[in-house]
Amino acid sequence: MKKSAVLFCLTVLPLLLQAQFSITGTVSDSVTGEQLPGAHIIIRNTYYFTVSNPDGTFKFQNLKPGNYTLKVSFMGYREYIKNIDLKGDVKIDVLMQPAAILEDEVVISATRASAKSPETFQNISRKSLKAENLGEDIPFLLKSTPAVVSTSDAGAGVGYTNIRIRGTDITRINVTLNGVPVNDPESQGVFWVDMPDLVSSVDNIQIQRGVGTSTNGAAAFGASINIQTQKLREDPYAGLSSSAGSYNTFKNTLRFGTGLIAGKWAFDGRLSKISSDGYIDRAFSNLRSFYVSGGYYGKNDIFKVIVFSGEEKTYQAWYGVPGDSLATNRTYNPAGEYVDADGKMAYYDNQTDNYRQDHYQLHYSHAFNPGLNINTSLFYIRGGGYYENYKPDQKFSKYGLDDVIIGGDTITTTDMINRKHLSNDFYGLTMSVNYNNLKKLQMTFGAGYNYYDGDHYGNIIWAQYAGNSTIDSNWYYNTGIKKQYNLYAKANYQINDPLNVYADLQVRGITYDISGTLDDLQDITQAHFFNFFNPKLGVVYDFSVRHQAYFSFAVANREPTRSDYRDADKDHVPQPERLYDYELGYVFKSDRVRINANLFYMNYKDQLVLTGEINNVGAPIFTNVPKSYRTGLDLMGGWKISKKFRWEVNGSFSSNKILDFTQYVDDWSPPYGQITRELGKTDLSFSPSVVANSTLSYQPVKRLFIKLISKYVGKQYIDNTSSPDWALDPWFVNDVMVNYSLRTKFIKEIGFSLMVNNIFSFKYESNAWVYHYYYDGKEYALNGYFPQAPINFLGGISLKF
């Protein structure tokens, strides 16, 4: 036995010894010789990543012999790439060449987290997004990222889609595009359907979980999604991609760009069209969009104009499938349902949502020197559209109309078709100053101001009985005027090589005026004013290039939405929410393995939570609860098993509670009112305790990639009662993705893609709503569930010229 142990040690010891090589170096300006701290340094095809120290040095240790590719990047300099045949310790002097032009990263640098930020974040590259971009919207392209649950009203990822991160919905997720706020100021939501195929014009996306760094627009109560559109491509290009799949889903995209003209100018464009019938009955989508940009790129200046637009027509599917229909007809859609003159069930053909949104952005950046730059952005978002409804047996009085008298009969109700319109203008300015003394201190000062004007109104376009009424006039009209400003200052200070401290202070002010009447003729005129202070503090400690730890504490405040005010009980005006967010993380990385662990505790004061009721467009109604929290652990891991196999996994394990929840249930029997239930400690709705993802990648030959993508979502409640009767069952879904590309003399690249979703046809619902009520002493419920499609596929081909 002892001889075997000795023999084993003698065999393994040389292998261990040969792994003790290192790559060290210094990053400097090739012209001035000045050392460059904060440069990003990676070893390709490994998990190694670091940034240069205050003296410009870096070090990778415990590397096995072999061939490595070192990549160094720093804003304002050309990318440095060096191949290294590692047979012993290597020392490199990295001399960075100043870039001939300023790079696009400067536009978003103020709102991005970096390796020295004490936050949990993930960057998704253009390459990763492109591989899965066959027609599904952004929430579905992000579904494998940590703590994410995506859902689709139509059940197949096209049309109305949504995303939750750590159980929080899109109204609590800050979304910016090139640093410009995207969240609608009134609803605070993001309607991805209004920006179809945006991802075809996206270079990268960063998701920050928790409060994250200060940014523009809505508060981040669960996460931030920071999107950067495509960067400069110096060579001319053109591309055509088409895909098709289940439920008559089709996507066609044309992309083109001039490359850099005369070393200074560049223009890019895209045209897209997506259509799908959807998995749910009549849940069709017809989507069109375009993107154009033009820019001037100088050594110290960028001037860039971006215009993009999206237009959508979707059949309404936002009410979901009634719970009692799931067992017999999972695709049943009650929207537009009525009984025709023959007594048969019929459906109105144009029960649709119609909306167009135009985005205009103007960006200017100037670098005074490598350590100081300024960014300014002007933006304007114009939106307009309506959704159309067939409404049988409607009372004239409900619409402010007189009853109709025909002969001696008084008619009090009529069938009708109405339209509810939204027209809005959202514009503003953002700016930032970024300072880096190239030694220890990095600072950012930022500000933003925006103005929103939204008009909500409805008209009747047809009625079976109209009398002398002016049918096409508005029966309701209300406006929302919202003004917002924010000021922030951020600082990173490198105390010594391993220790970095961080501070981020933001002041945000809001004025919100609502005036006019709702569709029920109720006057909702009101005004609200808020001033919030949102501090963030943190520390990052690098034990070595392999080990890093961080801690942060942040405060965020969020004002109620328009619907919170619109649907609230007059005696219970919604109050703003406050979040205290604690994040503690650890990162380990080596050539083959990467592990991230992040503990979080999110303590809420006056969080707005679901009551269980929905309004007339299927949106949930919220109320404040004094105390609630989310706490848990995010785990992420990557393992490069071999040259052909790689495994990426992540899991979010959490407890999400309301400490003392009171349920209010409407009583529809005289004398009417509400029944109160004191339920004590309950689970927060739509907050599964487990969300886990796995992606197993296999590359059998060059340019062929096969992925098995798996997702598990644990049990989640659809209201805050913790009742097992009102819960979504756990689901475990598997997809297969295949990508292959080849190159020819005439076409730069031909790409083939195939995505097979839900390969085992698992039956599950990803979202739902419920409204409880009493009648004659018995409890009833109205509800709607959103079933997702069984096995389905999307296949595509792309051509690059």
Side-chain angles (χ1 to χ4, degrees):
M1 184 69 179
K2 290 181 179 180
K3 289 182 179 180
S4 298
V6 171
L7 182 61
F8 175 79
C9 291
L10 291 174
T11 303
V12 172
L13 186 58
L15 298 176
L16 295 175
L17 291 175
Q18 75 171 359
Q20 304 304 309
F21 297 150
S22 66
I23 299 175
T24 60
T26 303
V27 184
S28 306
D29 185 303
S30 64
V31 177
T32 67
E34 187 174 11
Q35 296 163 341
L36 299 177
H40 288 216
I41 307 150
I42 68 170
I43 299 178
R44 285 181 172 174
N45 297 318
T46 75
Y47 291 102
Y48 277 126
F49 167 81
T50 191
V51 296
S52 55
N53 296 316
D55 59 358
T57 61
F58 67 91
K59 186 174 186 178
F60 294 105
Q61 294 177 293
N62 301 322
L63 298 175
K64 295 179 180 179
N67 294 313
Y68 294 92
T69 301
L70 192 75
K71 186 178 88 169
V72 185
S73 58
F74 192 78
M75 188 178 298
Y77 292 83
R78 289 189 173 275
E79 192 173 81
Y80 175 96
I81 297 176
K82 184 176 180 63
N83 295 317
I84 300 171
D85 184 10
L86 190 66
K87 298 178 180 179
D89 293 341
V90 172
K91 186 175 182 179
I92 301 174
D93 290 324
V94 178
L95 299 177
M96 302 293 289
Q97 299 288 334
I101 58 176
L102 197 60
E103 298 177 348
D104 287 285
E105 280 83 0
V106 70
V107 175
I108 61 163
S109 58
T111 56
R112 282 288 172 105
S114 69
K116 292 297 184 181
S117 300
E119 294 151 353
T120 175
F121 65 93
Q122 184 169 3
N123 295 319
I124 300 99
S125 68
R126 179 173 63 92
K127 182 179 178 181
S128 297
L129 293 167
K130 176 190 169 186
E132 298 184 21
N133 182 22
L134 298 174
E136 295 177 318
D137 218 334
I138 285 179
F140 275 70
L141 299 181
L142 302 180
K143 65 184 179 182
S144 294
T145 54
V148 165
V149 177
S150 304
T151 186
S152 165
D153 286 7
V158 180
Y160 270 88
T161 60
N162 220 320
I163 186 172
R164 292 179 182 271
I165 301 178
R166 286 189 180 173
T168 58
D169 64 22
I170 192 62
T171 66
R172 291 164 170 80
I173 299 172
N174 172 274
V175 181
T176 56
L177 187 69
N178 301 322
V180 167
V182 176
N183 298 73
D184 173 78
E186 283 198 293
S187 70
Q188 299 181 39
V190 174
F191 299 94
W192 305 101
V193 70
D194 299 333
M195 301 180 289
D197 201 28
L198 173 65
V199 76
S200 288
S201 299
V202 165
D203 183 82
N204 62 82
I205 298 176
Q206 183 180 87
I207 299 177
Q208 301 173 23
R209 291 184 298 282
V211 171
T213 183
S214 283
T215 187
N216 302 297
F221 255 53
S224 299
I225 299 176
N226 187 310
I227 304 170
Q228 182 182 14
T229 55
Q230 63 187 64
K231 299 188 292 187
L232 171 67
R233 296 178 63 174
E234 296 190 18
D235 297 321
Y237 68 91
L240 176 65
S241 61
S242 296
S243 59
S246 303
Y247 316 115
N248 289 320
T249 299
F250 296 95
K251 172 182 174 290
N252 291 287
T253 301
L254 171 66
R255 299 177 67 243
F256 50 90
T258 63
L260 204 56
I261 302 174
K264 298 292 184 183
W265 301 89
F267 301 88
D268 299 277
R270 171 182 57 81
L271 294 170
S272 300
K273 188 177 189 306
I274 302 173
S275 61
S276 177
D277 289 346
Y279 167 62
I280 302 299
D281 297 339
R282 297 176 308 285
F284 66 78
S285 300
N286 289 312
L287 316 174
R288 297 183 297 175
S289 67
F290 73 83
Y291 173 98
V292 293
S293 69
Y296 168 83
Y297 292 84
K299 180 175 176 56
N300 298 311
D301 300 273
I302 294 177
F303 183 85
K304 191 170 185 178
V305 177
I306 298 172
V307 179
F308 65 97
S309 176
E311 186 174 3
E312 60 95 2
K313 181 172 185 176
T314 57
Y315 196 95
Q316 294 173 25
W318 53 51
Y319 292 113
V321 177
D324 56 9
S325 298
L326 288 174
T328 56
N329 186 359
R330 293 179 59 80
T331 65
Y332 170 54
N333 181 8
E337 191 174 79
Y338 69 97
V339 178
D340 65 16
D342 297 326
K344 296 181 180 179
M345 191 66 69
Y347 295 91
Y348 181 52
D349 290 338
N350 203 37
Q351 190 85 1
T352 57
D353 183 65
N354 305 264
Y355 196 78
R356 174 171 173 158
Q357 193 172 80
D358 303 320
H359 295 248
Y360 305 86
Q361 297 183 359
L362 188 154
H363 302 278
Y364 175 69
S365 300
H366 176 75
F368 297 95
N369 55 56
L372 180 64
N373 63 68
I374 185 170
N375 305 284
T376 58
S377 299
L378 290 169
F379 70 91
Y380 172 51
I381 303 173
R382 169 66 180 169
Y386 63 88
Y387 62 94
E388 188 167 308
N389 299 281
Y390 183 93
K391 292 287 188 179
D393 199 29
Q394 298 292 292
K395 291 183 178 181
F396 286 107
S397 59
K398 182 179 177 181
Y399 295 83
L401 302 175
D402 296 329
D403 293 339
V404 174
I405 299 176
I406 299 179
D409 297 327
T410 299
I411 299 175
T412 61
T413 64
T414 183
D415 295 347
M416 65 170 59
I417 299 170
N418 67 41
R419 286 180 176 174
K420 294 187 174 182
H421 296 258
L422 171 62
S423 175
N424 51 39
D425 298 276
F426 180 35
Y427 54 87
L429 165 73
T430 67
M431 64 176 298
S432 64
V433 178
N434 303 293
Y435 170 73
N436 182 349
N437 73 353
L438 301 183
K439 291 296 181 183
K440 293 188 175 184
L441 179 65
Q442 294 178 323
M443 298 185 68
T444 297
F445 300 93
Y449 175 81
N450 57 66
Y451 183 96
Y452 174 90
D453 184 353
D455 296 332
H456 308 259
Y457 58 96
N459 61 346
I460 303 166
I461 64 171
W462 173 86
Q464 183 182 14
Y465 303 104
N468 296 322
S469 303
T470 304
I471 288 298
D472 201 37
S473 61
N474 295 336
W475 93 82
Y476 75 93
Y477 183 90
N478 65 79
T479 62
I481 305 292
K482 193 169 187 179
K483 306 170 189 177
Q484 301 181 71
Y485 78 87
N486 79 90
L487 302 168
Y488 62 86
K490 312 177 191 181
N492 271 301
Y493 185 72
Q494 194 81 30
I495 295 177
N496 51 42
D497 285 356
L499 181 61
N500 183 82
V501 294
Y502 171 84
D504 181 346
L505 307 176
Q506 183 195 51
V507 175
R508 183 166 174 254
I510 300 132
T511 300
Y512 185 30
D513 293 290
I514 307 173
S515 61
T517 58
L518 285 177
D519 56 356
D520 61 1
L521 306 182
Q522 173 189 353
D523 187 350
I524 58 167
T525 300
Q526 53 193 288
H528 304 277
F529 308 93
F530 304 97
N531 286 292
F532 297 134
F533 176 56
N534 303 315
K536 307 169 186 68
L537 302 169
V539 59
V540 178
Y541 192 88
D542 288 300
F543 296 93
S544 69
V545 72
R546 288 190 173 210
H547 303 275
Q548 182 189 76
Y550 61 86
F551 171 77
S552 69
F553 168 72
V555 179
N557 293 274
R558 174 181 176 269
E559 75 279 12
T561 67
R562 176 182 182 271
S563 59
D564 292 331
Y565 290 122
R566 180 195 62 195
D567 300 324
D569 188 315
K570 291 182 179 180
D571 297 327
H572 298 89
V573 178
Q575 299 300 306
E577 306 169 278
R578 178 170 294 175
L579 167 62
Y580 302 93
D581 182 23
Y582 304 82
E583 307 274 343
L584 175 63
Y586 166 75
V587 180
F588 168 80
K589 50 187 180 290
S590 70
D591 58 341
R592 291 180 176 270
V593 176
R594 180 181 174 93
I595 299 172
N596 290 36
N598 187 87
L599 289 165
F600 63 90
Y601 177 59
M602 304 170 71
N603 186 24
Y604 296 89
K605 180 180 182 296
D606 294 327
Q607 183 178 186
L608 285 159
V609 303
L610 290 169
T611 64
E613 190 175 1
I614 63 167
N615 64 19
N616 56 1
V617 296
I621 296 174
F622 291 79
T623 189
N624 292 105
V625 293
K627 296 181 180 181
S628 56
Y629 67 83
R630 302 180 187 277
T631 186
L633 172 66
D634 292 334
L635 287 175
M636 291 150 282
W639 181 21
K640 188 181 176 184
I641 303 171
S642 67
K643 290 183 178 180
K644 294 185 177 183
F645 283 97
R646 179 175 293 201
W647 190 23
E648 305 282 345
V649 295
N650 63 72
S652 183
F653 309 91
S654 61
S655 176
N656 311 277
K657 301 291 184 180
I658 301 172
L659 294 186
D660 190 9
F661 181 65
T662 301
Q663 182 190 23
Y664 297 92
V665 183
D666 290 339
D667 189 349
W668 288 6
S669 301
Y672 309 108
Q674 289 187 318
I675 295 172
T676 303
R677 293 173 172 170
E678 302 288 344
L679 299 180
K681 190 173 185 178
T682 62
D683 293 272
L684 279 164
S685 59
F686 298 105
S687 301
S689 58
V690 179
V691 178
N693 297 282
S694 167
T695 300
L696 183 62
S697 303
Y698 174 52
Q699 185 181 4
V701 296
K702 189 176 182 180
R703 294 194 293 273
L704 175 61
F705 298 89
I706 303 171
K707 294 181 180 179
L708 173 63
I709 304 168
S710 304
K711 187 175 191 72
Y712 175 82
V713 177
K715 179 180 179 180
Q716 53 184 312
Y717 296 96
I718 63 178
D719 64 10
N720 293 297
T721 65
S722 292
S723 169
D725 295 330
W726 304 111
L728 296 176
D729 292 332
W731 76 78
F732 180 56
V733 175
N734 295 270
D735 308 328
V736 171
M737 184 83 205
V738 181
N739 296 103
Y740 177 70
S741 63
L742 57 89
R743 296 173 182 173
T744 70
K745 294 182 179 180
F746 306 104
I747 299 175
K748 286 184 180 179
E749 184 176 274
I750 304 175
F752 302 91
S753 300
L754 176 66
M755 171 71 87
V756 183
N757 296 306
N758 197 1
I759 57 176
F760 299 116
S761 281
F762 190 86
K763 291 183 178 180
Y764 70 105
E765 298 81 46
S766 60
N767 198 11
W769 61 268
V770 61
Y771 166 62
H772 302 274
Y773 67 94
Y774 272 88
Y775 184 73
D776 283 347
K778 292 184 179 180
E779 184 176 1
Y780 299 89
L782 302 173
N783 54 61
Y785 291 78
F786 296 88
Q788 304 301 285
I791 185 171
N792 63 94
F793 78 93
L794 291 165
I797 182 172
S798 63
L799 308 176
K800 281 187 179 180
F801 302 95

